[in-house]
Amino acid sequence: MKSSIVGLAAVLQLAVHASAQDGQSSPSDLENYWSYGHSESVPDTPVAKGLGDWADAYNKARKLVSQMTDEEKNNITYGHASTTTGCSGVTGSVPRLDFPGICFQDAGNGVRGVDMVNSYPAGIHTGASWNRDLAHSRAEHMGAEFRRKGANVALGPVVGPAGRIASGGRNWEGFGSDPYLSGALAAESVRGLQQNVIACVKHLIGNEQETNRNSPYLLEGSHNQSISSNIDDKTIHELYLWGFQDVVRAGAGSVMCSYNRINNSYGCQNSKVMNGLLKGELGFQGFVVSDWTGQHTGIASANAGMDVAMPDSQYWENNTLAIATKNGSMPDFRLDDMATRIIASWYKYAEIPNPGHGIPVSLLEPHDLVDARDPKSKNVILQSAVEGHVLVKNTAGALPLQKPKFLSLFGYDAIPSALNTADDSSLGGWSMGLQNALTYPNGSAVNNETEKYMFLSSTDPSFRGPGVAFNGTLFAGGGSGASTPAYIDAPLHAFQRQAYDDDTYLAWDLISLEPHVNPASDACLVFINEASSEGWDRPYLADPSSDKLVRNVAAKCPNTIVVIHNAGLRLVDEWIENPNITAVLYAHVPGQDSGRALVEVMYGKQSPSGRLPYTVARKESDYKELLEPVIPSGTQNEYYPQDNFTEGVYIDYKAFIQNEIQPRFEFGYGLTYSNFSYLDLDASVHSNANLQYTAAGSGAKIVEGGSEALWDIVASVNCTIQNTGKVRAAEVAQLYVGIPGGPPKVLRGFEKRTIDSGKKEHIQFDLTRRDLSHWDVEKQAWGLQAGKYPIYVGKSVLDIQLHGMLDIS
Ligand SMILES: *[C@@H]1O[C@H](CO)[C@@H](O)[C@H](O)[C@H]1NC(C)=O
Ligand SMILES: *[C@@H]1O[C@H](CO)[C@@H](O)[C@H](O)[C@H]1NC(C)=O
Ligand SMILES: *[C@@H]1O[C@H](CO)[C@@H](O)[C@H](O)[C@H]1NC(C)=O
Ligand SMILES: *[C@@H]1O[C@H](CO)[C@@H](O)[C@H](O)[C@H]1NC(C)=O
Ligand SMILES: *[C@@H]1O[C@H](CO)[C@@H](O)[C@H](O)[C@H]1NC(C)=O
Ligand SMILES: *[C@@H]1O[C@H](CO)[C@@H](O)[C@H](O)[C@H]1NC(C)=O
Ligand SMILES: *[C@@H]1O[C@H](CO)[C@@H](O)[C@H](O)[C@H]1NC(C)=O
Ligand SMILES: *[C@@H]1O[C@H](CO)[C@@H](O)[C@H](O)[C@H]1NC(C)=O
Ligand SMILES: *[C@@H]1O[C@H](CO)[C@@H](O)[C@H](O)[C@H]1NC(C)=O
Ligand SMILES: *[C@@H]1O[C@H](CO)[C@@H](O)[C@H](O)[C@H]1NC(C)=O
Ligand SMILES: *[C@@H]1O[C@H](CO)[C@@H](O)[C@H](O)[C@H]1NC(C)=O
Ligand SMILES: *[C@@H]1O[C@H](CO)[C@@H](O)[C@H](O)[C@H]1NC(C)=O
């Protein structure tokens, strides 16, 4: 405690202390400020029973835990410093019983900060592929690399942030701005990862922005608090918890609680969120681990439902929990449940004898090379890179390229960075993937650790950044979601190889912002990027200097093709209508096979098949949900920053439709080199479907993912799609539903099919009870409502090809 704080601040400190006792925030002095979100206390942590196919793991876990002393149980609930491995975190072990501890390793796009691994396409790239099978196999191969390195837990995938804030720094780690899409792909990712390791789904919950997510002042030991995401019960169920529900149903072995507060109670001590929603309502069987240093209280965080503290714990060390069970401040069964959840997940998914053996403490010291790569992963890495490319403009047959005689290449994003050491620490431990691109908004480099820390922790909005990686092609985002590539196949490399085959003449200037253009060029390709990282939110949604480069090339070249590597949505209105700009690709964040994948698409070896997993606006102000960067000074908010999620579920396309804003490119949009027509819609409610409400809590049969009845299929929608164009291509048929009382259209199905020219395919979308229900706050239950549910099947949320109706009565 800083003694210099007087007056109001002193009152606030007392308030925080009082609230820390029960894990909830309830100081009466602040009642006015906290009336929106005052998190309900849910004191009893559900004890995991070993539901479903967890039974065996739980039987074994109970047996092992029953042999542990309370001190040993306590020991495995928090991170211990390791001198033998460089894991992101390691729990304590129980040497007496041969339990070796658990190694946690970043993150969701590949194993971070080590050598001999691959860099996979990022979450948002996978989201743009709209391909469940590919999401599954990407995760399966990635998970195998974690296991070969000795990691028990892969710290991914991400379903929160859910994409509420367009400039949010971590949106690229998730799958897009719709909960149905993101939940479906996250569930496949969990199934894929858990063939080999425990998945850790993050961040529970409401971690929608980086600014003030984890107050730097808090880190320094003062009492400023992290931002509070104040979310009402309906919105939390219908939007922010939706993806977590899908991953729990998929058997997720761990979940990470978030830095931010929810209704003023920290994510890692919020009993409503962990005890109530996750473990109670959703029937979660795994363990909850804190985000790194996200624990702010001791016994209260255990009683609120947190099971593991990382990377260490100043609260749970020295047998604190064991003592607490003896003196009555914590029930015995809670410590048993913590240990049992940890051990059960370990038995079920990741019983590895030698945790972290392939993750050296330092890559700069001599170490055994543990090659985690498998040549069999190559197809998956390439194909998931290919399918995340979204073609949004293609006029005058600009693409595919066909043996061009002369191509000119421009832009800093076509070549790799001069640095690829896999040694994360040489990049400040933070920016691998951004290739040392830490620049202030004024363009000056960020040179030292102090500046980097200031950058990460500043509350000054002008410190948001970087927005662009000038030092080389963007193949990964930054922060803990970064990944370390085996190589970087940059666009220039891949175009060189193709030029060799086609006898194309290639000219390039990848430095100038106002390059010369040889008028003989068949096409001018401009490579730009839009970077993003954990730790800060993006300074803009379109980097002005890159826009200038595009305009400069287009002014001289009538066939200008723009490729954007974008870790997050990027606006293009500065130039998109210029008729000289004939084609535009969002190339997202493709991982190490970037160039190869791009050539595959741009030369028509495969038709582009990605679709936007977010809405691209015409201007920044079209996104109504803004960052809460500025903490008004002279108010209590200075210490307790608040963010009221008053828009409810109306984010991204739901907000655009509600506010009648025409986007530049709508959610679900993307072109191919072929054409598809849609036929024969047939929608009906299953005659034997039970249309009753399903209670969430007591009374309902809870399986992993919540009430069992939520997963009944109650209706189906069928149609046929036909490839009417000239080439084989993939279509993503999208089903939107209008649920009475909700947004006019919500995504409730998608099917990606690759179809030969002229051929047709039958598509069936099955709708579960949850898909058609709303969350009824009064009844605390999901329920169907009597009425008409409009059905839309189309190529995007705005390009509807077939209309129908489901009648529920
Ligand atoms: C959030 O909502 C509460 C009421 O519930 C209100 O008092 C407060 O001013 C709101 N905060 C902001 C920043 O709008
Ligand atoms: C947050 O507060 C809102 C409004 O009172 C309430 O509906 C919701 O259930 C609360 N959520 C949590 C997690 O406390
Ligand atoms: C606790 O874990 C540490 C680190 O793995 C280990 O060295 C120590 O022996 C463990 N303590 C007990 C009581 O098992
Ligand atoms: C644990 O013991 C160490 C060494 O005595 C001490 O520095 C630390 O504060 C203790 N932690 C707790 C939670 O008691
Ligand atoms: C019980 O033990 C815990 C952990 O050491 C301690 O924080 C707490 O103050 C103790 N409570 C009582 C009533 O002794
Ligand atoms: C750029 O901004 C940073 C941070 O505000 C400042 O330290 C630096 O001096 C600025 N550089 C120039 C060239 O203005
Ligand atoms: C690092 O940056 C800080 C803030 O700009 C500056 O005060 C300090 O002198 C720099 N340190 C070194 C070693 O350059
Ligand atoms: C990155 O770019 C900046 C500014 O253009 C330059 O100063 C720096 O040396 C570059 N770093 C690397 C690793 O290329
Ligand atoms: C298009 O390119 C031509 C050069 O081929 C140039 O004269 C013209 O001004 C450009 N148009 C635009 C809108 O940039
Ligand atoms: C709280 O944060 C504000 C910035 O919002 C800062 O000016 C102030 O010094 C911080 N207070 C403490 C006690 O650290
Ligand atoms: C798709 O169909 C439209 C008209 O239906 C036609 O103008 C266009 O050329 C077709 N595109 C392709 C790639 O076949
Ligand atoms: C959809 O197609 C399936 C399989 O062909 C069929 O069993 C089902 O009855 C159809 N449902 C509707 C609503 O047409």
Side-chain angles (χ1 to χ4, degrees):
M1 251 192 235
K2 281 187 191 164
S3 55
S4 60
I5 304 167
V6 293
L8 174 64
V11 173
L12 293 172
Q13 280 181 19
L14 289 173
V16 169
H17 263 256
S19 73
Q21 296 308 308
D22 62 1
Q24 306 299 313
S25 310
S26 56
S28 55
D29 309 57
L30 294 168
E31 213 71 59
N32 289 343
Y33 263 84
W34 294 3
S35 59
Y36 185 103
H38 178 153
S39 202
E40 183 193 333
S41 174
V42 179
D44 298 327
T45 308
V47 172
K49 303 248 163 44
L51 295 178
D53 62 4
W54 285 81
D56 284 352
Y58 265 85
N59 286 337
K60 284 160 83 176
R62 283 189 202 104
K63 209 168 145 203
L64 187 64
V65 172
S66 70
Q67 298 169 59
M68 291 183 188
T69 64
D70 284 351
E71 288 69 23
E72 286 166 337
K73 294 172 202 163
N74 190 161
N75 201 43
I76 66 172
T77 63
Y78 65 95
H80 293 241
S82 171
T83 52
T84 52
T85 84
C87 300
S88 309
V90 233
T91 67
S93 59
V94 184
R96 190 176 65 85
L97 299 171
D98 292 331
F99 173 66
I102 291 180
C103 160
F104 294 73
Q105 185 68 12
D106 288 327
N109 308 307
V111 190
R112 173 192 179 210
V114 295
D115 49 27
M116 310 310 279
V117 293
N118 290 301
S119 166
Y120 288 74
I124 199 165
H125 201 91
T126 307
S129 78
W130 294 63
N131 187 332
R132 290 182 180 85
D133 295 341
L134 210 45
H136 184 107
S137 41
R138 163 185 176 270
E140 188 178 334
H141 284 261
M142 202 156 70
E145 294 190 23
F146 278 90
R147 175 169 277 245
R148 289 185 204 108
K149 284 290 188 185
N152 307 76
V153 180
L155 293 167
V158 167
V159 294
R164 174 176 182 254
I165 308 286
S167 56
R170 299 190 81 170
N171 290 350
W172 66 275
E173 294 183 56
F175 300 99
S177 305
D178 177 87
Y180 183 93
L181 174 67
S182 137
L185 297 176
E188 288 305 338
S189 303
V190 164
R191 291 188 187 101
L193 284 167
Q194 292 194 158
Q195 311 263 322
N196 288 293
V197 288
I198 302 168
C200 182
V201 187
K202 51 199 196 181
H203 306 85
L204 187 75
I205 196 172
N207 187 171
E208 293 298 313
Q209 64 175 56
E210 296 301 279
T211 307
N212 292 322
R213 66 170 180 164
N214 197 11
S215 166
Y217 306 104
L218 187 75
L219 295 176
E220 286 166 1
S222 92
H223 294 279
N224 274 10
Q225 306 298 310
S226 300
I227 193 155
S228 177
S229 296
N230 301 323
I231 318 178
D232 67 85
D233 190 43
K234 186 170 173 68
T235 302
I236 222 168
H237 280 87
E238 294 182 359
L239 174 54
Y240 297 100
L241 193 64
W242 183 283
F244 286 101
Q245 185 161 25
D246 285 324
V247 296
V248 172
R249 179 163 171 75
S254 70
V255 161
M256 184 186 287
C257 52
S258 58
Y259 284 136
N260 57 286
R261 296 175 296 151
I262 303 97
N263 289 2
N264 293 289
S265 170
Y266 275 97
C268 293
Q269 64 200 59
N270 189 313
S271 64
K272 167 72 177 174
V273 169
M274 293 185 291
N275 285 347
L277 299 177
L278 181 70
K279 291 181 171 176
E281 194 180 313
L282 300 189
F284 175 61
Q285 298 296 298
F287 61 84
V288 179
V289 56
S290 73
D291 202 338
W292 268 226
T293 73
Q295 183 186 33
H296 303 302
T297 181
I299 294 160
S301 56
N303 286 342
M306 193 176 103
D307 303 297
V308 177
M310 277 290 160
D312 51 25
S313 179
Q314 55 175 307
Y315 301 99
W316 290 355
E317 63 188 357
N318 307 346
N319 303 324
T320 323
L321 296 179
I323 295 167
T325 59
K326 292 187 176 76
N327 76 12
S329 43
M330 185 178 148
D332 285 348
F333 66 78
R334 180 74 267 264
L335 183 58
D336 288 344
D337 181 50
M338 290 164 79
T340 310
R341 285 172 179 270
I342 296 164
I343 301 286
S345 299
W346 178 76
Y347 274 133
K348 186 160 163 55
Y349 297 120
E351 192 181 342
I352 298 173
N354 196 0
H357 66 86
I359 303 175
V361 178
S362 166
L363 293 172
L364 304 179
E365 302 294 328
H367 57 279
D368 292 337
L369 275 190
V370 176
D371 195 346
R373 299 165 306 157
D374 177 351
K376 290 199 204 74
S377 306
K378 286 183 177 181
N379 282 343
V380 171
I381 294 170
L382 175 60
Q383 191 58 23
S384 36
V386 168
E387 295 199 20
H389 286 77
V390 183
L391 179 67
V392 292
K393 180 174 182 181
N394 191 17
T395 54
L399 291 178
L401 297 169
Q402 281 153 345
K403 294 190 187 290
K405 272 247 139 352
F406 190 129
L407 282 183
S408 291
L409 274 48
F410 303 100
Y412 54 85
D413 184 73
I415 43 171
S417 160
L419 207 56
N420 183 36
T421 63
D423 171 22
D424 216 15
S425 62
S426 69
L427 297 174
W430 201 252
S431 57
M432 190 66 214
L434 291 186
Q435 300 106 40
N436 208 17
L438 287 157
T439 48
Y440 288 108
N442 64 15
S444 292
V446 178
N447 291 317
N448 73 36
E449 292 305 315
T450 310
E451 284 192 6
K452 277 176 188 158
Y453 179 74
M454 285 164 51
F455 217 134
L456 298 179
S457 58
S458 180
T459 51
D460 174 351
S462 67
F463 272 30
R464 287 161 60 192
V468 62
F470 286 119
N471 286 104
T473 197
L474 185 83
F475 66 92
S480 61
S483 52
T484 41
Y487 53 82
I488 303 167
D489 190 41
L492 181 64
H493 297 148
F495 274 85
Q496 303 246 31
R497 291 195 299 269
Q498 188 64 37
Y500 180 91
D501 289 349
D502 294 349
D503 294 319
T504 300
Y505 183 89
L506 283 188
W508 65 84
D509 172 354
L510 308 179
I511 296 173
S512 312
L513 286 181
E514 295 177 57
H516 296 294
V517 175
N518 186 321
S521 309
D522 290 323
C524 303
L525 275 43
V526 190
F527 297 91
I528 60 173
N529 68 47
E530 197 73 22
S532 187
S533 173
E534 177 185 4
W536 56 78
D537 297 303
R538 295 164 58 198
Y540 34 59
L541 297 178
D543 161 50
S545 58
S546 304
D547 279 343
K548 201 187 292 172
L549 168 65
V550 171
R551 281 199 307 265
N552 288 341
V553 174
K556 298 173 187 163
C557 182
N559 188 20
T560 300
I561 299 174
V562 184
V563 175
I564 311 169
H565 283 118
N566 56 313
L569 58 88
R570 200 229 191 248
L571 306 190
V572 291
D573 268 55
E574 285 294 312
W575 40 261
I576 191 74
E577 284 180 4
N578 183 328
N580 284 0
I581 296 178
T582 51
V584 177
L585 270 161
Y586 284 107
H588 289 114
V589 194
Q592 68 192 28
D593 276 352
S594 175
R596 191 180 296 273
L598 191 64
V599 158
E600 196 79 4
V601 168
M602 290 184 74
Y603 283 83
K605 298 171 191 196
Q606 296 188 48
S607 173
S609 69
R611 302 291 186 270
L612 296 175
Y614 47 73
T615 300
V616 178
R618 289 167 188 262
K619 53 183 194 301
E620 281 202 19
S621 59
D622 286 349
Y623 299 101
K624 299 295 182 197
E625 294 325 312
L626 303 175
L627 284 179
E628 303 289 334
V630 184
I631 305 176
S633 65
T635 69
Q636 289 163 330
N637 278 350
E638 185 173 354
Y639 304 93
Y640 292 83
Q642 303 290 316
D643 191 359
N644 294 346
F645 286 33
T646 48
E647 75 289 346
V649 299
Y650 292 85
I651 66 165
D652 201 76
Y653 66 87
K654 291 157 199 151
F656 279 71
I657 291 173
Q658 184 190 38
N659 299 317
E660 296 181 354
I661 298 170
Q662 192 62 37
R664 170 53 65 185
F665 298 119
E666 73 271 18
F667 178 84
Y669 179 76
L671 300 170
T672 69
Y673 297 146
S674 194
N675 262 355
F676 289 86
S677 63
Y678 285 64
L679 325 157
D680 305 333
L681 184 81
D682 192 351
S684 65
V685 177
H686 290 197
S687 53
N688 58 353
N690 164 7
L691 303 179
Q692 299 308 302
Y693 266 73
T694 55
S698 49
K701 177 165 187 221
I702 301 290
V703 297
E704 276 178 283
S707 295
E708 190 171 36
L710 282 177
W711 311 99
D712 297 345
I713 292 164
V714 297
S716 296
V717 175
N718 290 352
C719 70
T720 301
I721 54 176
Q722 181 171 19
N723 183 340
T724 55
K726 295 199 172 57
V727 297
R728 177 178 167 81
E731 179 70 345
V732 180
Q734 300 161 39
L735 169 68
Y736 296 88
V737 179
I739 297 171
K745 288 176 191 163
V746 293
L747 184 73
R748 285 295 183 263
F750 61 94
E751 280 293 323
K752 186 172 196 174
R753 296 287 172 81
T754 304
I755 305 177
D756 285 330
S757 166
K759 291 282 184 315
K760 287 182 186 170
E761 282 208 18
H762 178 80
I763 295 206
Q764 178 176 350
F765 301 102
D766 286 333
L767 291 157
T768 65
R769 179 189 311 283
R770 183 185 66 149
D771 290 336
L772 296 175
S773 290
H774 75 139
W775 176 256
D776 187 322
V777 174
E778 299 277 298
K779 295 196 172 77
Q780 284 294 294
W782 289 99
L784 296 166
Q785 307 161 82
K788 296 202 182 306
Y789 290 60
I791 295 291
Y792 311 90
V793 177
K795 297 162 178 262
S796 74
V797 70
L798 297 183
D799 188 354
I800 300 304
Q801 300 286 310
L802 299 169
H803 295 256
M805 192 70 81
L806 284 175
D807 202 340
I808 292 187
S809 49

